[in-house]
Amino acid sequence: MQQLKETVDFIQEKTTNFKPELGIILGTGLGNLVNDLEIAHSLSYEDLPYFPISTVESHTGRLIFGTLRGKQVVVMQGRFHYYEGYNMKEVTYPVRVMKLLGITTLFVSNVSGSTNADIEKGDLVIIDDHINLHYENPLRGQQYKEMGPRFPDMSKPYSKKLGDEAMNIAAKHGFRAHKGVYVSLPGPNLETRAEYLHLHKIGGDIVGMSTVPEVIVGVHCGLRIFAISVVTDKAIPIEELEAVTLEDVIAVAMEAEPKMTTVIKDLIERLNN
């Protein structure tokens, strides 16, 4: 809690009078939303006390404060992953920081692989539930009552209202979008054929290596959550499984990003109404 206080005090000193209502976490290849912001402040992760540093290609590593569709937001241009060597408290540290800065709603984006035959490469998936297959839980350890309850309920981690609105927005623009279950794994390797089949059988529609830890902490500290994924590769049917590289993922993500950005911007605008 002392570290969080020092980080928040430092940020507030650098962003005087800026009070974000909404936090946004941008995933791999999805950092261009910041181009639509009226930027007020931009802080490098390296300059923030106790903040981790992004080590993954395409994660810029900046905390950006600005206005988007009339709402004051704080945007993480780059996130942290368990596979980078961070523990789960470090991975989710920024969520607690954003909560203490005043946000009440958290938007999370990611890229994923499809384990559902109906979900194609380039599609959007509005996440309405998840399966957590990480080894470590970010809530493990000492409990701080000021941050949330010891045993948070996870029956409805994602806002149904925001998810429904996002689906309507996608339909209005003619984007292929689905609601689905996101499976989060530690990574960094992609899955084997048998693992993809297993994820499909247990109810996963898409799979990735992030998001769930941040969502758990967001729910724990009382935030309303919206999560959206850009599908960059397809693992079903297993017989047609192709090798995937990071370059492939980023290329598809960048091509589909304008659709995701449109949904997020329109959804934020509807929050104001």
Side-chain angles (χ1 to χ4, degrees):
M1 289 304 301
Q2 181 59 35
Q3 290 179 347
L4 284 167
K5 183 179 185 303
E6 290 181 32
T7 305
V8 170
D9 287 347
F10 178 89
I11 291 172
Q12 289 178 330
E13 183 179 337
K14 298 292 184 182
T15 61
T16 308
N17 298 323
F18 193 96
K19 297 181 179 179
E21 306 167 69
L22 172 69
I24 304 173
I25 300 175
L26 297 176
T28 301
L30 303 175
N32 288 330
L33 179 70
V34 298
N35 296 333
D36 296 295
L37 263 67
E38 296 176 24
I39 297 177
H41 308 279
S42 179
L43 305 176
S44 172
Y45 293 165
E46 295 180 353
D47 296 330
L48 302 179
Y50 307 110
F51 229 74
I53 298 172
S54 295
T55 66
V56 180
E57 183 181 341
S58 85
H59 288 256
T60 304
R62 300 194 69 82
L63 199 61
I64 300 174
F65 298 79
T67 303
L68 183 62
R69 294 289 175 94
K71 210 164 192 68
Q72 288 193 315
V73 303
V74 52
V75 179
M76 286 183 65
Q77 193 178 26
R79 61 145 52 87
F80 312 109
H81 307 81
Y82 187 72
Y83 63 73
E84 294 177 74
Y86 294 118
N87 64 47
M88 281 302 186
K89 284 185 173 58
E90 293 170 319
V91 167
T92 58
Y93 189 81
V95 177
R96 293 187 169 104
V97 168
M98 290 190 286
K99 166 66 177 181
L100 293 174
L101 287 171
I103 72 165
T104 57
T105 302
L106 178 66
F107 281 22
V108 187
S109 71
N110 64 44
V111 296
S112 63
S114 167
T115 55
N116 182 324
D118 295 328
I119 299 177
E120 300 290 343
K121 186 187 300 187
D123 286 359
L124 301 178
V125 176
I126 309 304
I127 299 172
D128 66 356
D129 207 344
H130 68 237
I131 298 172
N132 181 19
L133 296 183
H134 284 273
Y135 312 127
E136 183 185 342
N137 191 294
L139 305 183
R140 177 179 177 269
Q142 185 174 350
Q143 166 66 3
Y144 297 97
K145 293 182 179 179
E146 55 267 60
M147 294 306 297
R150 178 38 124 185
F151 303 105
D153 177 71
M154 292 294 293
S155 60
K156 297 177 182 177
Y158 303 91
S159 167
K160 183 178 184 304
K161 180 179 179 182
L162 294 181
D164 289 344
E165 288 277 11
M167 289 295 291
N168 291 336
I169 291 167
K172 182 185 75 172
H173 289 285
F175 302 154
R176 277 181 55 92
H178 318 260
K179 281 194 174 184
V181 175
Y182 177 81
V183 183
S184 188
L185 291 164
N189 60 281
L190 300 185
E191 291 68 46
T192 67
R193 292 171 181 266
E195 287 168 340
Y196 279 128
L197 185 60
H198 169 69
L199 299 178
H200 171 71
K201 287 181 176 179
I202 67 172
D205 295 300
I206 52 176
V207 58
M209 306 170 192
S210 67
T211 300
V212 169
E214 295 106 313
V215 169
I216 289 173
V217 168
V219 171
H220 176 248
C221 62
L223 299 178
R224 178 172 57 166
I225 309 288
F226 169 76
I228 185 170
S229 185
V230 173
V231 176
T232 56
D233 56 282
K234 189 172 181 181
I236 296 289
I238 296 296
E239 296 76 14
E240 298 176 11
L241 190 63
E242 297 179 355
V244 180
T245 66
L246 177 61
E247 291 73 24
D248 296 332
V249 168
I250 292 174
V252 177
M254 293 182 68
E255 184 177 349
E257 182 185 40
K259 296 185 290 186
M260 183 203 75
T261 299
T262 296
V263 170
I264 288 177
K265 290 189 296 185
D266 286 5
L267 189 56
I268 289 174
E269 189 169 32
R270 294 191 184 193
L271 292 178
N272 294 327
N273 298 330

